[in-house]
Amino acid sequence: MSQDLTNRPEVIDPSRAVSPQLFSFLRDRIVRSDLAPGTRLSEVEIAAHYNTSRQPVREAFIKLSEAGLIEIRPQRGSFVRRIDIASVLAAQFVREAVEADIVRAAAERITDVQARELDSILAAQRDGVDGAPSAFMALDETFHRTIATIAGQGAGWGFLESLRIQMDRVRHLSASQLPRESLVVQHTEIVEAIKAGDADGAEQKMRQHLRRVLDDIPVVTAAKPEFFIAEES
């Protein structure tokens, strides 16, 4: 399987370092499964597509390998890695612990303006239930990041990125195959608890929400078995 880079209008910003931009573009494509597991990535083709040299592409590949998203095989090429279930489970465990504390803090300090912001995000999610999975999941990211900001942990949200990557690969697959209405219901319950200042209730609802991926794994692995590995070989 070879890469297809023609379906998104990403453009390199010449005023910024190229390698981090390429890493971001390719990471997001892999997380969304636009570049499916097993896809061979060509330095030459990617460099040509983004009108850059091969060196920043090579640097981006190294970062993608460190993030567990691609496998660089000497003399054979670079390939998108399949999703490691063990990594997903570990990420879910840590993320749940962190976001449980975040949502409690949000419930204790939310303002009326911030409550309206969360309501606006929920409204956009309801409107996007039948839209593109990528757009729906972008709103999901906005939802969780906004709660972190309300909790005073906006700057720390980036530290969860490496944890979210493998988990988000499963979440994107589930968003394309499973009913999204249930995710909106869960988000709504979290927001109502936050707005009520119910820290215990908000934590409980957030934990239930983040454990949803554990229920989704058997469904998406059955639908896309070629996307997953049970353990490192």
Side-chain angles (χ1 to χ4, degrees), residues 158-172:
F159 290 111
L160 284 175
E161 181 176 52
S162 61
L163 289 173
R164 298 198 313 264
I165 286 177
Q166 297 299 337
M167 188 174 169
D168 283 350
R169 294 179 78 183
V170 174
R171 289 168 65 82
H172 273 269

PDB file of all heavy atoms in Angstrom, residues 158-172:
ATOM      1  N   GLY A 158      -0.701  19.999  26.477  1.00  0.00           N
ATOM      2  CA  GLY A 158       0.221  19.465  25.489  1.00  0.00           C
ATOM      3  C   GLY A 158       1.013  18.270  25.988  1.00  0.00           C
ATOM      4  O   GLY A 158       1.445  17.424  25.190  1.00  0.00           O
ATOM      5  N   PHE A 159       1.197  18.168  27.301  1.00  0.00           N
ATOM      6  CA  PHE A 159       1.946  17.040  27.837  1.00  0.00           C
ATOM      7  C   PHE A 159       1.201  15.716  27.648  1.00  0.00           C
ATOM      8  O   PHE A 159       1.807  14.642  27.729  1.00  0.00           O
ATOM      9  CB  PHE A 159       2.244  17.256  29.325  1.00  0.00           C
ATOM     10  CG  PHE A 159       3.242  18.346  29.588  1.00  0.00           C
ATOM     11  CD1 PHE A 159       2.855  19.533  30.186  1.00  0.00           C
ATOM     12  CD2 PHE A 159       4.574  18.199  29.222  1.00  0.00           C
ATOM     13  CE1 PHE A 159       3.770  20.545  30.429  1.00  0.00           C
ATOM     14  CE2 PHE A 159       5.496  19.206  29.456  1.00  0.00           C
ATOM     15  CZ  PHE A 159       5.099  20.380  30.061  1.00  0.00           C
ATOM     16  N   LEU A 160      -0.098  15.796  27.415  1.00  0.00           N
ATOM     17  CA  LEU A 160      -0.871  14.573  27.194  1.00  0.00           C
ATOM     18  C   LEU A 160      -0.820  14.099  25.744  1.00  0.00           C
ATOM     19  O   LEU A 160      -1.306  13.010  25.435  1.00  0.00           O
ATOM     20  CB  LEU A 160      -2.342  14.800  27.577  1.00  0.00           C
ATOM     21  CG  LEU A 160      -2.685  14.832  29.069  1.00  0.00           C
ATOM     22  CD1 LEU A 160      -4.156  15.196  29.239  1.00  0.00           C
ATOM     23  CD2 LEU A 160      -2.381  13.498  29.720  1.00  0.00           C
ATOM     24  N   GLU A 161      -0.224  14.902  24.879  1.00  0.00           N
ATOM     25  CA  GLU A 161      -0.273  14.590  23.452  1.00  0.00           C
ATOM     26  C   GLU A 161       0.299  13.212  23.132  1.00  0.00           C
ATOM     27  O   GLU A 161      -0.321  12.426  22.407  1.00  0.00           O
ATOM     28  CB  GLU A 161       0.476  15.646  22.646  1.00  0.00           C
ATOM     29  CG  GLU A 161       0.430  15.393  21.147  1.00  0.00           C
ATOM     30  CD  GLU A 161       1.098  16.507  20.361  1.00  0.00           C
ATOM     31  OE1 GLU A 161       2.259  16.852  20.673  1.00  0.00           O
ATOM     32  OE2 GLU A 161       0.463  17.008  19.431  1.00  0.00           O
ATOM     33  N   SER A 162       1.470  12.900  23.673  1.00  0.00           N
ATOM     34  CA  SER A 162       2.075  11.610  23.367  1.00  0.00           C
ATOM     35  C   SER A 162       1.214  10.456  23.880  1.00  0.00           C
ATOM     36  O   SER A 162       1.176   9.375  23.278  1.00  0.00           O
ATOM     37  CB  SER A 162       3.486  11.524  23.961  1.00  0.00           C
ATOM     38  OG  SER A 162       3.444  11.648  25.373  1.00  0.00           O
ATOM     39  N   LEU A 163       0.510  10.693  24.995  1.00  0.00           N
ATOM     40  CA  LEU A 163      -0.378   9.667  25.523  1.00  0.00           C
ATOM     41  C   LEU A 163      -1.613   9.492  24.644  1.00  0.00           C
ATOM     42  O   LEU A 163      -2.137   8.387  24.500  1.00  0.00           O
ATOM     43  CB  LEU A 163      -0.824  10.036  26.941  1.00  0.00           C
ATOM     44  CG  LEU A 163       0.222   9.945  28.051  1.00  0.00           C
ATOM     45  CD1 LEU A 163      -0.351  10.520  29.329  1.00  0.00           C
ATOM     46  CD2 LEU A 163       0.653   8.500  28.260  1.00  0.00           C
ATOM     47  N   ARG A 164      -2.080  10.601  24.076  1.00  0.00           N
ATOM     48  CA  ARG A 164      -3.337  10.568  23.330  1.00  0.00           C
ATOM     49  C   ARG A 164      -3.194   9.898  21.972  1.00  0.00           C
ATOM     50  O   ARG A 164      -4.181   9.416  21.426  1.00  0.00           O
ATOM     51  CB  ARG A 164      -3.869  11.986  23.124  1.00  0.00           C
ATOM     52  CG  ARG A 164      -4.211  12.741  24.379  1.00  0.00           C
ATOM     53  CD  ARG A 164      -5.113  13.932  24.086  1.00  0.00           C
ATOM     54  NE  ARG A 164      -4.635  14.719  22.978  1.00  0.00           N
ATOM     55  CZ  ARG A 164      -3.888  15.817  23.098  1.00  0.00           C
ATOM     56  NH1 ARG A 164      -3.504  16.216  24.299  1.00  0.00           N
ATOM     57  NH2 ARG A 164      -3.511  16.510  22.051  1.00  0.00           N
ATOM     58  N   ILE A 165      -1.990   9.859  21.420  1.00  0.00           N
ATOM     59  CA  ILE A 165      -1.839   9.478  20.021  1.00  0.00           C
ATOM     60  C   ILE A 165      -2.443   8.112  19.716  1.00  0.00           C
ATOM     61  O   ILE A 165      -3.303   7.985  18.830  1.00  0.00           O
ATOM     62  CB  ILE A 165      -0.353   9.519  19.600  1.00  0.00           C
ATOM     63  CG1 ILE A 165       0.107  10.974  19.447  1.00  0.00           C
ATOM     64  CG2 ILE A 165      -0.155   8.793  18.267  1.00  0.00           C
ATOM     65  CD1 ILE A 165       1.571  11.126  19.095  1.00  0.00           C
ATOM     66  N   GLN A 166      -1.992   7.055  20.414  1.00  0.00           N
ATOM     67  CA  GLN A 166      -2.500   5.719  20.102  1.00  0.00           C
ATOM     68  C   GLN A 166      -3.980   5.594  20.456  1.00  0.00           C
ATOM     69  O   GLN A 166      -4.758   4.973  19.721  1.00  0.00           O
ATOM     70  CB  GLN A 166      -1.679   4.660  20.844  1.00  0.00           C
ATOM     71  CG  GLN A 166      -0.214   4.609  20.441  1.00  0.00           C
ATOM     72  CD  GLN A 166       0.000   4.282  18.972  1.00  0.00           C
ATOM     73  OE1 GLN A 166      -0.847   3.698  18.303  1.00  0.00           O
ATOM     74  NE2 GLN A 166       1.154   4.665  18.452  1.00  0.00           N
ATOM     75  N   MET A 167      -4.367   6.198  21.569  1.00  0.00           N
ATOM     76  CA  MET A 167      -5.774   6.171  21.976  1.00  0.00           C
ATOM     77  C   MET A 167      -6.646   6.886  20.944  1.00  0.00           C
ATOM     78  O   MET A 167      -7.737   6.410  20.595  1.00  0.00           O
ATOM     79  CB  MET A 167      -5.915   6.823  23.348  1.00  0.00           C
ATOM     80  CG  MET A 167      -7.282   6.699  23.977  1.00  0.00           C
ATOM     81  SD  MET A 167      -7.226   7.359  25.672  1.00  0.00           S
ATOM     82  CE  MET A 167      -8.977   7.398  26.058  1.00  0.00           C
ATOM     83  N   ASP A 168      -6.160   8.014  20.427  1.00  0.00           N
ATOM     84  CA  ASP A 168      -6.940   8.773  19.463  1.00  0.00           C
ATOM     85  C   ASP A 168      -7.067   8.043  18.131  1.00  0.00           C
ATOM     86  O   ASP A 168      -8.042   8.248  17.400  1.00  0.00           O
ATOM     87  CB  ASP A 168      -6.328  10.153  19.247  1.00  0.00           C
ATOM     88  CG  ASP A 168      -6.643  11.110  20.385  1.00  0.00           C
ATOM     89  OD1 ASP A 168      -7.487  10.765  21.237  1.00  0.00           O
ATOM     90  OD2 ASP A 168      -6.055  12.208  20.434  1.00  0.00           O
ATOM     91  N   ARG A 169      -6.110   7.196  17.802  1.00  0.00           N
ATOM     92  CA  ARG A 169      -6.250   6.394  16.577  1.00  0.00           C
ATOM     93  C   ARG A 169      -7.477   5.499  16.675  1.00  0.00           C
ATOM     94  O   ARG A 169      -8.232   5.351  15.704  1.00  0.00           O
ATOM     95  CB  ARG A 169      -4.986   5.557  16.345  1.00  0.00           C
ATOM     96  CG  ARG A 169      -3.749   6.373  16.039  1.00  0.00           C
ATOM     97  CD  ARG A 169      -2.520   5.501  15.852  1.00  0.00           C
ATOM     98  NE  ARG A 169      -2.515   4.868  14.539  1.00  0.00           N
ATOM     99  CZ  ARG A 169      -1.581   3.999  14.134  1.00  0.00           C
ATOM    100  NH1 ARG A 169      -0.619   3.637  14.975  1.00  0.00           N
ATOM    101  NH2 ARG A 169      -1.637   3.477  12.921  1.00  0.00           N
ATOM    102  N   VAL A 170      -7.678   4.906  17.855  1.00  0.00           N
ATOM    103  CA  VAL A 170      -8.868   4.066  18.059  1.00  0.00           C
ATOM    104  C   VAL A 170     -10.124   4.927  18.073  1.00  0.00           C
ATOM    105  O   VAL A 170     -11.154   4.561  17.496  1.00  0.00           O
ATOM    106  CB  VAL A 170      -8.749   3.267  19.375  1.00  0.00           C
ATOM    107  CG1 VAL A 170     -10.046   2.502  19.659  1.00  0.00           C
ATOM    108  CG2 VAL A 170      -7.576   2.308  19.306  1.00  0.00           C
ATOM    109  N   ARG A 171     -10.058   6.089  18.709  1.00  0.00           N
ATOM    110  CA  ARG A 171     -11.229   6.957  18.799  1.00  0.00           C
ATOM    111  C   ARG A 171     -11.674   7.438  17.418  1.00  0.00           C
ATOM    112  O   ARG A 171     -12.874   7.554  17.151  1.00  0.00           O
ATOM    113  CB  ARG A 171     -10.943   8.131  19.729  1.00  0.00           C
ATOM    114  CG  ARG A 171     -10.865   7.715  21.200  1.00  0.00           C
ATOM    115  CD  ARG A 171     -10.313   8.803  22.085  1.00  0.00           C
ATOM    116  NE  ARG A 171     -11.185   9.965  22.134  1.00  0.00           N
ATOM    117  CZ  ARG A 171     -12.248  10.074  22.912  1.00  0.00           C
ATOM    118  NH1 ARG A 171     -12.601   9.078  23.702  1.00  0.00           N
ATOM    119  NH2 ARG A 171     -12.979  11.168  22.921  1.00  0.00           N
ATOM    120  N   HIS A 172     -10.734   7.721  16.534  1.00  0.00           N
ATOM    121  CA  HIS A 172     -11.090   8.129  15.179  1.00  0.00           C
ATOM    122  C   HIS A 172     -11.756   6.980  14.429  1.00  0.00           C
ATOM    123  O   HIS A 172     -12.733   7.190  13.690  1.00  0.00           O
ATOM    124  CB  HIS A 172      -9.854   8.611  14.418  1.00  0.00           C
ATOM    125  CG  HIS A 172      -9.558  10.055  14.627  1.00  0.00           C
ATOM    126  ND1 HIS A 172     -10.058  11.049  13.808  1.00  0.00           N
ATOM    127  CD2 HIS A 172      -8.819  10.690  15.566  1.00  0.00           C
ATOM    128  CE1 HIS A 172      -9.635  12.227  14.245  1.00  0.00           C
ATOM    129  NE2 HIS A 172      -8.892  12.041  15.305  1.00  0.00           N
TER     130      HIS A 172
END
